[in-house]
Amino acid sequence: MSDVTRRRKDGRPVHHWRRDVVELAALFTAVAVADAVANLVGHGPEGPELLLVSAVILLATAGFHTWWARRHTHAPPGTDDADIGTRPAPAEGGAAGPGAAADGPRSGAGPGTSSAPEPTASGDGPEERAESTTLWRLRTTVRDAPGSLAALCTALAHDRVDILSLQTHPLAEGTVDEFLLRAPTALAASDLTRTVVRAGGSGTWVERADAHDLVDAPTRILGLATRTALDAAELPLALRQLLGRCTIRSLPAASVGERTGEEPAPVEGVLEGTVLRLRAPEGGVITVERPYLPFTPTEFARARALVELDTRLGPRVPRGQDVLTLPEGPDITVSRADAGDLQAAKDMHERCSKRTLGMRYHGPVNDADRYLNHLLSPRFGRTLAARTASGRIVGLGHLLWDGDETEIALLVEDEWQRRGIGGELLGRLVTMAIEAGCDSAYAVTQSSNTGMVAAMRGLGLPLDFQIEEGTLVITARLDATPVSSQLPYDSRH
């Protein structure tokens, strides 16, 4: 670096003494030349003519310079490439290109969640930018080598695919990259998969995404943790939304060895390819299965952290309530119920007729009380209770997580039937299922239970009826217009 361009730490230039000497010598030279010209003009025989000729030459030079500057505009260095949209040539292995932000093991891909630039092809016109697009979630495994991620991003850019977000899951060999993509609608999933495979991806999985996937991963995970902290029944839903399409089953501690012969899951959990086994807060086992798509250590760590949060917080349920005015009789309140309401639920069973209990539990009436521990546990779903002013339970509604499916069940005390309590509980349960992202919900009852059939029809949703040996299964499709119903525990605790 020269003496002129050297700078101190504060940014000020460092002036060397040799520069000052040169400037002083130039000043003396200029004074001497000016004195010689003055003597020549003042005392020479042709002084005035020489002065006039010098003025003409200066004017001609200034005019020529102005003409030349207007004819040949000098652009700042480096703007030519930007104007025509060219990119630097990729280095060996494709390390330079869309998505390659920095040098590293994989050209800018690190563990965790990052935001990737949106690759676009040069020469985009207004017509091309206005074309319809589709959101995709893409998961693939690439080599953990310099330029591997950059080559994949370049291939996606060639097909006019924008990368909206990127999550990386490091493995012992290779790295699983999970993309959220915006692709032209004309680009089919099979074509997108072939592009990824040609760029070096393996084990590729593609599925449609929606606007909810646009939320970045840290924000989404914090939201799931908040929901789990407020309500123990949110844990299965939070795990499903965290891990995507999967089946979640929860077994109590007493059932693990008796029913399956399995050993209880260790405290740290077990990762076995497409199956996760986690220690449930009450000592049982939570099993998460996802066909065809193995879990990564990153996903296992996130799921285990969510379960540990639920364990530390202990049993909890929102305690808000909503007042319901009936067409006749006193007002009642609707609120969440849990294992603390076990005795009140058993008392309601005693006041119900055998016919009512038989339509609800489809088995021996004397065994009805045995189901309550499972039904009231927030680990297996959510329960709403209708109570009188004295706190007596007169109706129960259950929303139960049954693997990939969701079951709805209702029980209303005989004295309080035909007053709209079952319909109110059912509407709230279906609204909860819709907010939980369930595609459908089913109810199992007797074919003679006209009250349950009327309540399901009152939802205004598409229904599917299946009857087998007197048992009626009514399935409501929840991807239609959501049911309008207030949730008493959402805003008041």
Side-chain angles (χ1 to χ4, degrees):
M1 183 179 293
S2 65
D3 295 332
V4 176
T5 58
R6 286 190 300 176
R7 294 179 178 270
R8 300 190 185 97
K9 294 181 178 180
D10 59 2
R12 297 180 179 180
V14 178
H15 297 284
H16 200 274
W17 62 270
R18 286 177 294 184
R19 179 179 178 182
D20 296 335
V21 171
V22 171
E23 292 178 352
L24 187 60
L27 178 62
F28 288 162
T29 302
V31 171
V33 171
D35 181 69
V37 172
N39 291 331
L40 181 61
V41 172
H43 303 285
E46 300 177 353
E49 293 81 358
L50 182 60
L51 186 60
L52 182 60
V53 171
S54 300
V56 172
I57 293 175
L58 289 176
L59 289 175
T61 303
F64 176 77
H65 181 272
T66 302
W67 172 81
W68 182 266
R70 291 180 178 178
R71 183 178 180 87
H72 302 279
T73 301
H74 297 280
T79 60
D80 293 341
D81 291 343
D83 290 341
I84 62 176
T86 59
R87 296 183 175 88
E92 182 179 358
D103 294 336
R106 300 174 59 250
S107 299
T113 304
S114 61
S115 178
E118 299 184 3
T120 57
S122 60
D124 292 348
E127 297 81 2
E128 294 173 336
R129 288 194 298 268
E131 66 182 350
S132 60
T133 58
T134 302
L135 293 177
W136 296 96
R137 289 180 59 188
L138 184 144
R139 189 183 181 102
T140 189
T141 303
V142 299
R143 295 180 302 107
D144 192 5
S148 58
L149 179 59
L152 178 57
C153 294
T154 303
L156 293 174
H158 185 268
D159 286 348
R160 306 185 54 77
V161 177
D162 292 342
I163 300 176
L164 302 180
S165 67
L166 166 65
Q167 295 185 61
T168 60
H169 304 262
L171 303 177
E173 295 182 2
T175 300
V176 175
D177 289 334
E178 187 171 349
F179 296 89
L180 178 61
L181 305 174
R182 181 188 288 121
T185 304
L187 184 65
S190 57
D191 296 332
L192 185 60
T193 301
R194 280 192 289 270
T195 297
V196 173
V197 172
R198 286 196 298 265
S202 60
T204 303
W205 179 273
V206 179
E207 65 177 353
R208 292 289 293 270
D210 56 27
H212 297 88
D213 294 313
L214 294 175
V215 180
D216 63 284
T219 302
R220 182 164 53 89
I221 293 173
L222 287 174
L224 296 177
T226 301
R227 289 171 49 184
T228 303
L230 294 176
D231 188 355
E234 288 286 342
L235 180 61
L237 298 176
L239 288 173
R240 183 174 298 175
Q241 294 185 17
L242 177 67
L243 302 173
R245 295 181 179 272
C246 59
T247 301
I248 299 176
R249 294 183 174 85
S250 181
L251 290 177
S255 302
V256 173
E258 297 176 2
R259 297 183 182 180
T260 64
E262 298 179 0
E263 294 294 331
V267 176
E268 64 276 7
V270 177
L271 170 59
E272 300 173 338
T274 60
V275 178
L276 297 181
R277 298 178 65 243
L278 304 167
R279 175 71 66 88
E282 68 278 0
V285 176
I286 298 176
T287 302
V288 185
E289 299 181 12
R290 186 172 62 189
Y292 313 119
L293 195 59
F295 292 104
T296 65
T298 301
E299 291 176 316
F300 174 60
R302 291 173 179 174
R304 186 173 61 183
L306 202 58
V307 174
E308 289 178 356
L309 172 65
D310 183 78
T311 303
R312 288 181 177 274
L313 294 177
R316 62 208 175 279
V317 63
R319 290 301 179 185
Q321 63 181 16
D322 192 18
V323 179
L324 178 61
T325 301
L326 301 178
E328 58 180 71
D331 295 343
I332 62 172
T333 60
V334 179
S335 61
R336 287 285 297 276
D338 61 1
D341 299 297
L342 178 61
Q343 187 57 48
K346 289 182 177 180
D347 294 341
M348 188 189 73
H349 277 182
E350 294 179 0
R351 297 190 298 270
C352 291
S353 65
K354 291 184 177 181
R355 179 178 181 275
T356 297
L357 293 177
M359 285 188 175
R360 165 63 185 91
Y361 294 109
H362 322 295
V365 175
N366 296 332
D367 294 337
D369 288 351
R370 295 196 313 165
Y371 303 130
L372 288 176
N373 282 324
H374 175 87
L375 295 174
L376 295 175
S377 173
R379 189 67 54 225
F380 303 103
R382 299 174 181 173
T383 299
L384 294 180
R387 309 172 193 264
T388 63
S390 62
R392 188 179 74 175
I393 294 180
V394 297
L396 287 173
H398 305 284
L399 183 68
L400 304 172
W401 317 129
D402 183 15
D404 292 332
E405 300 178 328
T406 304
E407 180 182 0
I408 291 177
L410 294 176
L411 176 64
V412 179
E413 187 178 330
D414 294 64
E415 183 182 347
W416 292 83
Q417 293 178 8
R418 307 296 178 181
R419 300 191 187 185
I421 296 177
E424 285 291 335
L425 293 176
L426 181 61
R428 285 168 164 79
L429 294 173
V430 170
T431 300
M432 293 161 60
I434 292 173
E435 293 187 345
C438 302
D439 296 329
S440 63
Y442 70 92
V444 181
T445 186
Q446 301 296 322
S447 57
S448 59
N449 191 349
T450 57
M452 187 65 178
V453 174
M456 292 292 288
R457 284 178 172 171
L459 296 173
L461 294 171
L463 300 178
D464 178 34
F465 296 86
Q466 295 181 355
I467 302 178
E468 184 176 351
E469 297 181 356
T471 300
L472 174 62
V473 180
I474 308 174
T475 303
R477 198 175 74 239
L478 305 183
D479 54 358
T481 303
V483 177
S484 177
S485 178
Q486 296 178 353
L487 299 182
Y489 53 86
D490 278 350
S491 58
R492 298 182 292 278
H493 300 283

